[in-house]
Amino acid sequence: PLNPALEAVIRIPSAIGGIQVAKQEIPTVFCKSIRVAAAAIDKEKPDAVLCIGQAGGRHGLTPERVAINIDDARIPDNEGNQPIDRPICPDGPPAYFSTLPIKAMTQKIRAAGIPASVSNSAGTFVCNHLMYGVLHHLALCHPHIRGGFLHVPYAPGQAAARPEPTPCLGVRDIALGIEAALAAIAEYRCDITAAEGKIH
């Protein structure tokens, strides 16, 4: 009933400084999500694509480093599909790395007062599926367009229905973090060098 990723994106203005923002709602459905995103990319021909989805349980906004070529759904998607151990693209590479400046995005989000960290796993559900599919489409059809994925945490209304302590962020803060990420994408063609790795 509540999708903080969508609610936050709705709050993003259509212009931020010199950035023009085109938005597209994507269904949380295997295969269909990639088709909808690819059609929007083909129509808009943007400079960069930032996909956004929810990762409940995370403490802040997390730009994703990599998408892997596997669907392994623990739960069904919004149309009841539940692929298990299935490649997203049988002829595709094992993984795609984000072509967005994920470390610069993380630092800009933090500078805006919003918690953020680099994530090294987008999971194996629709978010990873979409990130991989978008990067595959860009590699084949629009190699000059950069792309990647940003996960956001639960909103307070979602966390309230879960056992404590469940981390969350207000939709307004999530939107501010997304704006900071977009500013970093516009500012940095190449990523910065910063220690953002994980021990485990």
Side-chain angles (χ1 to χ4, degrees), residues 12-16 19-23 182:
I12 303 295
S14 58
I16 306 169
I19 306 167
Q20 299 299 313
V21 181
K23 307 172 190 179
L182 292 173

Side-chain angles (χ1 to χ4, degrees), residues 15-160:
I16 306 169
I19 306 167
Q20 299 299 313
V21 181
K23 307 172 190 179
Q24 175 66 53
E25 182 178 357
I26 305 295
T28 307
V29 179
F30 288 100
C31 297
K32 185 183 288 187
S33 58
I34 296 173
R35 289 196 301 270
V36 172
I41 292 166
D42 294 343
K43 176 185 175 185
E44 297 290 344
K45 296 180 174 58
D47 295 308
V49 179
L50 177 61
C51 302
I52 300 170
Q54 179 180 264
R58 294 191 184 179
H59 291 268
L61 277 63
T62 50
E64 295 294 342
R65 189 191 299 265
V66 62
I68 59 174
N69 189 8
I70 196 74
D71 288 333
D72 192 6
R74 184 176 55 82
I75 58 174
D77 68 14
N78 284 352
E79 290 187 358
N81 305 298
Q82 192 174 2
I84 296 173
D85 296 335
R86 186 182 73 188
I88 298 165
C89 180
D91 298 325
Y96 280 106
F97 283 87
S98 174
T99 51
L100 299 178
I102 59 171
K103 293 184 176 182
M105 291 163 63
T106 298
Q107 291 199 0
K108 282 273 192 185
I109 295 167
R110 287 187 195 138
I114 311 298
S117 62
V118 171
S119 168
N120 295 301
S121 175
T124 57
F125 195 53
V126 179
C127 290
N128 175 78
H129 178 90
L130 175 62
M131 180 180 175
Y132 184 95
V134 163
L135 290 171
H136 187 64
H137 182 68
L138 294 179
L140 294 179
C141 303
H142 307 282
H144 61 287
I145 299 177
R146 297 177 293 157
F149 200 100
L150 176 70
H151 266 123
V152 304
Y154 284 133
Q158 295 173 300

